[in-house]
Amino acid sequence: MDTNKIKLLIADDSAIIRGMLEKNFQESGAFEIIDSVSNGKKAEQSATQKSPDIAILDIDMPEMNGLDACSIISGTLKIPVVIFSEDASAAERARQSGAALFYVKPNLSSFKKEFFKDLIQKVQDIALKNVSAKKELGVLPLETQKRGQNLSAKNEFKVLCIGASTGGPTAVQNVLCGLGEEFPLPVLYVQHLDVGADKKMADWFDSSCQNIYVKLAENGEVAKPGTVYLSPADRHLVIDCLTSEGLPILKLSDEPEDHFLRPAVNKLFKSAAAFYKSSCLAVLMTGMGRDGAEGCKVIVENGGHTIAEDKSTCAVFGMPAAAIELGAATEVLPRQEIPQKILSLVQNDGAAQ
């Protein structure tokens, strides 16, 4: 494999289109075609296994359409995607799915030299910009990040995630105040909030938790140890990627609601599990509904540790109960015991030495 060339993945259910794209991108001299597949599912699998620098996807494909594949490839794998479709009305849907560019696919008669010159230049610009940005941030490739998460048989926690809903602010405040000063991990916190209440909530937390800094999460910022990042109202809070030091770079997302919720605890927990594997520690506290249960399950399946608040201290036992029912709670504790348990887990793994 030529490391100086841009690694390109192509997905289109038309063998003719794939062949024309392959031929012209290869002849440009700047690209290496690492795979050319016929549907979105194969594109997702190829992107996961081969880590291309960029992908070109059609929309109408069998098994998984291009927009769904785009959401996974651009969202979870952080690989830029160009949606290449004859349906010009799909541009906005492509953007919402995370596409870096929507390019209208013309009739076959229009696949000429000037057309490919423009397309290749745009794809090359996007790919190079993305590669350069990752190098500047010191971001490790996702595959390398995953390999580095489980170097030890024991958990070495790198992030603490908290999710809550009804009764959550008081419950989480109790936990945060019990973590002492100089807590060694970044804390990512999703709370179901009404629009307009997030800034006041962050200020209240920061004033009432004298031992730890609490702020509203911002898009693109690096989450630092000893700071709590609260999800803004109506924005999903997820991890975009990691720095070379293993710190999370945050992303605020306008992706659709998850089970009618935005922000959703599930979104945060699943993204943390994807990047941190066994290094993820999460707490699911009081709240109505089931948000966070599926996220806890993903964390546990990846070797992480989850704590569900016990019914005896919950204002509403819905969310923790759902996680327990799924077998996704590593342990169940009353609120007053959670801070000490967190500290013992973090200190035992050596992170707080």
Side-chain angles (χ1 to χ4, degrees), residues 138-140 145 149 239-244 246-249 275-276:
V139 176
L140 300 172
Q145 294 171 14
Q149 296 311 315
I239 297 172
D240 189 35
C241 50
L242 305 183
T243 68
S244 56
L247 295 175
I249 299 175
F275 284 101
Y276 284 103

Side-chain angles (χ1 to χ4, degrees), residues 69-346:
C70 177
S71 295
I72 298 170
I73 294 171
S74 66
T76 303
L77 303 179
K78 312 305 172 191
I79 296 166
V81 172
V82 174
I83 292 293
F84 187 51
S85 172
E86 64 273 6
D87 183 4
S89 67
E92 178 60 23
R93 286 185 290 137
R95 186 194 67 79
Q96 292 175 354
S97 296
L101 173 68
F102 179 85
Y103 206 99
V104 177
K105 182 191 299 183
N107 296 326
L108 286 176
S109 60
S110 298
F111 278 63
K112 298 179 180 179
K113 184 177 179 181
E114 286 305 312
F115 165 80
F116 278 109
K117 182 179 179 181
D118 182 68
L119 175 61
I120 289 168
Q121 186 62 58
K122 284 183 167 62
V123 173
Q124 184 173 356
D125 289 346
I126 293 168
L128 292 177
K129 182 179 179 181
N130 184 63
V131 170
S132 175
K134 286 184 176 181
K135 286 181 179 179
E136 288 181 11
L137 286 170
V139 176
L140 300 172
L142 182 59
E143 183 180 340
T144 304
Q145 294 171 14
K146 289 180 178 179
R147 285 201 303 266
Q149 296 311 315
N150 197 22
L151 298 178
S152 171
K154 64 181 181 179
N155 298 60
E156 296 182 353
F157 297 112
K158 303 298 183 186
V159 68
L160 170 62
C161 297
I162 300 175
S165 186
T166 309
T170 300
V172 175
Q173 183 230 21
N174 292 164
V175 170
L176 294 179
C177 287
L179 295 181
E181 297 183 354
E182 299 183 2
F183 185 68
L185 307 182
V187 182
L188 312 183
Y189 169 27
V190 167
Q191 170 69 48
H192 298 159
L193 289 170
D194 293 331
V195 174
D198 48 10
K199 181 63 168 65
K200 292 181 180 178
M201 184 64 69
D203 291 344
W204 175 79
F205 268 113
D206 194 46
S207 63
S208 61
C209 300
Q210 296 294 315
N211 59 304
I212 194 166
Y213 178 41
V214 183
K215 69 182 295 293
L216 272 183
E218 298 178 48
N219 191 56
E221 72 178 320
V222 178
K224 299 177 181 178
T227 300
V228 182
Y229 298 85
L230 173 66
S231 58
D234 202 33
R235 307 288 300 280
H236 290 305
L237 171 61
V238 296
I239 297 172
D240 189 35
C241 50
L242 305 183
T243 68
S244 56
E245 291 79 27
L247 295 175
I249 299 175
L250 305 182
K251 179 180 179 180
L252 300 182
S253 166
D254 292 318
E255 290 181 12
E257 296 175 345
D258 185 305
H259 297 294
F260 306 104
L261 294 168
R262 189 171 62 198
V265 179
N266 277 330
K267 286 280 192 181
L268 171 63
F269 282 14
K270 289 178 181 179
S271 81
F275 284 101
Y276 284 103
K277 301 293 185 183
S278 63
S279 299
C280 181
L281 175 60
V283 180
L284 188 61
M285 306 196 72
T286 175
M288 186 179 299
R290 301 183 61 85
D291 189 25
E294 292 177 7
C296 282
K297 189 172 188 293
V298 174
I299 290 172
V300 170
E301 288 174 342
N302 281 276
H305 193 103
T306 61
I307 301 171
E309 184 179 1
D310 186 72
K311 183 178 181 180
S312 63
T313 56
C314 281
V316 180
F317 190 45
M319 287 164 54
I324 296 167
E325 289 169 7
L326 280 179
T330 308
E331 54 189 318
V332 182
L333 296 172
R335 184 181 308 170
Q336 64 273 15
E337 295 181 18
I338 293 176
Q340 189 55 47
K341 183 62 180 182
I342 292 171
L343 291 173
S344 68
L345 288 169
V346 171

